[in-house]
């Protein structure tokens, strides 16, 4: 799972005009959390609960992502599987900042979605009131028992399993805008070599000395430093792989590859063994990283051979493959080999 995990809370959306919960003037000062956000509230206090989430859903319609959402969305889109964006927030600001909904792990549900309590269908109603969408009925089974797709206190939170999974391989844990009152972030950070905490001020539920870097500042002010730390952590690996491949190709120049025709079946092993030797000489990649590089290269080799180039008869064709592969690491310029 991801090498970098970013876990956010209400604080990351505060500068977009969405209230936090426990800051002064926060939601839990205005509303009785037991009445509208506790397991059973949809039985004992259904109308007020539905009204509360209808209002919050409508409220996020005109809210825009801020710089913190945008920077994290860019990083996630660039380093895909190496970074996980996990949030306790139910707003859609990461999605508005350019992230696919499936690329954001929402631990406590999602405001624009509702769930049918009979057939369990979850569907998106945008910013409408429950009653104004499909006439308040489930589009599949026509039940009128439609609830906000929100995890209430005391209810199961199935996405916490995803959080635990993502934390397995985490090397850098970034916490932004949460008081730690619900997800006890300290429990994760004790196992981390590197961690960043960004809040406005200390929280009773967070022991900040556990974090390798603490930034008490607005998320939009701290995010540039956080971005650099994340890039430094991730880029090293991607840079290294590219450097190895470039060096490998330069080495190839010194080998007499001219005229060598790669017949896929016979020569793929040659390619594999050759690169194993060359790349290993250049750098000690982890086994997984190395296998990922080689597998991708072999697949690419076969794909290009079957679809475009019948034979890699010259060094130029082979170098084109390496450049193509390097470029696949989203490197803007193609390295001149
Ligand atoms: N930049 C960074 N941090 C901020 C900012 C900001 N602009 N504004 C506020 N914060 C920080 C505060 O310092 C505080 O630590 O955000 C945190 C907000 O804490 P809470 O209001 O408790 O929100 P959160 O931690 O997300 O609550 C967790 O509790 O009520 C439930 O389900 C709800 O998901 C929520 C969960
Ligand atoms: Zn239904």
């Amino acid at each position: 799972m991801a090498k970098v995990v970013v876990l956010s809370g209400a604080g990351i959306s505060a500068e977009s005009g969405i209230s936090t919960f426990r800051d002064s003037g926060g939601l839990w000062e205005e509303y009785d959390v037991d009445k509208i956000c506790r397991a059973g509230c949809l039985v004992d206090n259904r109308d007020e609960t539905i009204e509360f989430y209808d209002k919050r859903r409508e409220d996020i319609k005109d809210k825009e992502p801020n710089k913190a959402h945008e920077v994290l969305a860019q990083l996630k889109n660039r380093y895909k599987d190496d970074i996980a964006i996990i949030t306790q927030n139910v707003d859609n600001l990461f999605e508005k900042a350019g992230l696919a909904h499936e690329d954001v792990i929402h631990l406590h549900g999602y405001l624009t979605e509702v769930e049918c309590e009979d057939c369990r269908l979850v569907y998106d109603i945008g910013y409408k009131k429950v009653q104004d969408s499909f006439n308040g009925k489930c589009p599949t089974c026509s039940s009128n028992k439609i609830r906000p797709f929100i995890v209430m206190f005391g209810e199961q939170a199935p996405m916490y399993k995803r959080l635990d999974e993502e934390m397995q391989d985490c090397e850098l844990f970034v916490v932004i805008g949460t008081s730690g009152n619900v997800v006890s972030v300290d429990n994760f950070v004790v196992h981390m070599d590197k961690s960043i905490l960004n809040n406005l001020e200390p929280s009773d539920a967070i022991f900040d000395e556990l974090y390798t870097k603490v930034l008490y500042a607005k998320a939009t002010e701290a995010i540039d430093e956080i971005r650099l730390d994340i890039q430094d952590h991730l880029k090293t690996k991607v840079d290294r792989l590219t450097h190895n491949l470039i060096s490998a190709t330069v080495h190839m120049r010194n080998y007499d590859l001219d005229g060598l025709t790669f017949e896929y079946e016979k020569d793929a092993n040659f390619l594999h063994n050759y690169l194993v030797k060359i790349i290993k000489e250049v750098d000690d990649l982890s086994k997984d990283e190395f296998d990922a590089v080689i597998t991708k290269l072999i697949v690419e080799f076969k794909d290009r051979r079957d679809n475009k180039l019948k034979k890699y008869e010259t060094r130029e064709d082979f170098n084109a493959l390496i450049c193509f592969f390097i470029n696949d690491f989203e490197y803007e310029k193609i390295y001149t080999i």
Side-chain angles (χ1 to χ4, degrees), residues 3 39 48 69 96 100 103 112 132 152 157 162 172 199 205 228 235 250 270 274 288 295 309 319:
K3 296 178 180 60
E48 194 181 337
H69 297 104
K96 283 184 176 174
D103 282 341
T112 62
D132 298 342
M152 309 293 180
R162 279 293 308 278
L172 169 58
N199 267 337
L228 288 175
K235 203 170 168 190
V250 170
F270 162 81
Y274 181 81
D288 291 353
T295 311
L309 291 165
N319 280 353

Side-chain angles (χ1 to χ4, degrees), residues 115-121 123 137-146:
E115 182 181 20
C116 170
E117 293 185 84
D118 283 337
C119 73
R120 292 288 156 217
L121 175 76
Y123 55 103
K137 290 189 174 23
C138 169
T140 305
C141 74
S142 305
S143 160
N144 61 1
K145 288 175 70 188
I146 306 300

Side-chain angles (χ1 to χ4, degrees), residues 61-324:
K61 182 174 179 182
D62 64 349
K63 298 296 184 286
E64 291 303 321
N66 60 53
K67 185 179 174 188
H69 297 104
E70 280 155 3
V71 166
L72 292 172
Q74 283 158 14
L75 287 168
K76 172 67 180 171
N77 285 329
R78 178 171 175 67
Y79 294 104
K80 221 66 183 156
D81 299 337
D82 281 339
I83 182 170
I85 302 293
I86 303 178
T87 187
Q88 298 171 85
N89 299 343
V90 294
D91 64 51
N92 56 357
L93 294 182
F94 279 116
E95 287 84 353
K96 283 184 176 174
L99 276 188
H101 184 44
E102 59 273 12
D103 282 341
V104 187
I105 298 172
H106 286 274
L107 296 175
H108 296 158
Y110 195 56
L111 258 182
T112 62
E113 289 174 339
V114 292
E115 182 181 20
C116 170
E117 293 185 84
D118 283 337
C119 73
R120 292 288 156 217
L121 175 76
V122 175
Y123 55 103
D124 199 304
I125 62 169
Y127 304 105
K128 288 188 208 131
K129 292 185 167 63
V130 170
Q131 199 45 44
D132 298 342
S133 172
F134 299 104
N135 293 323
K137 290 189 174 23
C138 169
T140 305
C141 74
S142 305
S143 160
N144 61 1
K145 288 175 70 188
I146 306 300
R147 62 163 284 172
F149 189 55
I150 299 288
V151 179
M152 309 293 180
F153 284 106
E155 288 186 333
Q156 289 286 327
M159 296 308 273
Y160 276 40
K161 190 164 165 294
R162 279 293 308 278
L163 170 60
D164 288 335
E165 287 164 1
E166 287 295 350
M167 291 307 290
Q168 293 307 312
D169 305 333
C170 177
E171 299 160 357
L172 169 58
F173 185 41
V174 182
V175 174
I176 302 178
T178 180
S179 61
N181 277 291
V182 175
V183 175
S184 33
V185 286
D186 288 0
N187 293 351
F188 292 108
V189 85
V190 285
H191 308 294
M192 287 293 124
D193 295 336
K194 282 162 73 179
S195 53
I196 302 173
L197 170 68
N198 165 226
N199 267 337
L200 270 194
E201 76 275 323
S203 160
D204 298 342
I206 294 180
F207 184 47
D208 59 16
E209 287 176 29
L210 293 171
Y211 296 77
T212 45
K213 179 176 276 189
V214 178
L215 303 167
Y216 285 132
K218 288 182 178 174
T220 53
E221 290 159 6
I223 198 67
D224 280 335
E225 184 169 346
I226 294 171
R227 176 171 53 79
L228 288 175
D229 286 353
I230 291 175
Q231 277 184 323
D232 283 352
H233 187 80
L234 289 180
K235 203 170 168 190
T236 330
K237 291 200 184 293
V238 180
D239 261 351
R240 215 153 50 91
L241 287 179
T242 307
H243 167 76
N244 299 339
L245 280 169
I246 291 172
S247 314
T249 317
V250 170
H251 276 273
M252 283 176 198
R253 273 210 164 117
N254 307 330
Y255 287 71
D256 177 12
L257 287 180
D258 265 348
L260 188 69
T261 50
F262 288 109
E263 293 298 336
Y264 177 68
E265 298 316 322
K266 181 165 69 63
D267 298 321
N269 289 336
F270 162 81
L271 172 70
H272 184 281
N273 299 334
Y274 181 81
L275 284 168
V276 168
K277 181 171 169 302
I278 288 287
I279 291 182
K280 277 291 175 202
E281 273 171 15
V282 174
D283 199 337
D284 59 338
L285 297 177
S286 76
K287 170 110 183 44
D288 291 353
E289 282 166 341
F290 183 78
D291 288 349
V293 169
I294 290 297
T295 311
K296 211 166 173 185
L297 195 53
I298 293 274
V299 165
E300 180 46 44
F301 172 80
K302 179 166 175 8
D303 178 43
R304 282 168 64 83
R305 189 194 175 301
D306 295 350
N307 303 325
K308 297 173 199 123
L309 291 165
K310 281 299 155 220
K311 284 188 178 47
Y312 290 92
E313 289 180 346
T314 66
R315 186 170 36 206
E316 279 61 37
D317 290 334
F318 195 77
N319 280 353
L321 166 64
I322 300 283
C323 287
F324 182 88

Side-chain angles (χ1 to χ4, degrees), residues 6-50:
V6 182
L7 174 66
S8 60
I12 200 170
S13 297
E15 291 164 87
S16 296
I18 297 180
S19 306
T20 60
F21 294 94
R22 296 170 186 83
D23 290 330
S24 57
L27 272 177
W28 296 152
E29 267 183 22
E30 251 184 281
Y31 290 89
D32 177 352
V33 62
D34 288 332
K35 280 195 167 165
I36 42 97
C37 193
R38 181 132 350 249
C41 61
L42 284 156
V43 176
D44 311 333
N45 195 26
R46 189 175 188 86
D47 292 349
E48 194 181 337
T49 303
I50 296 286

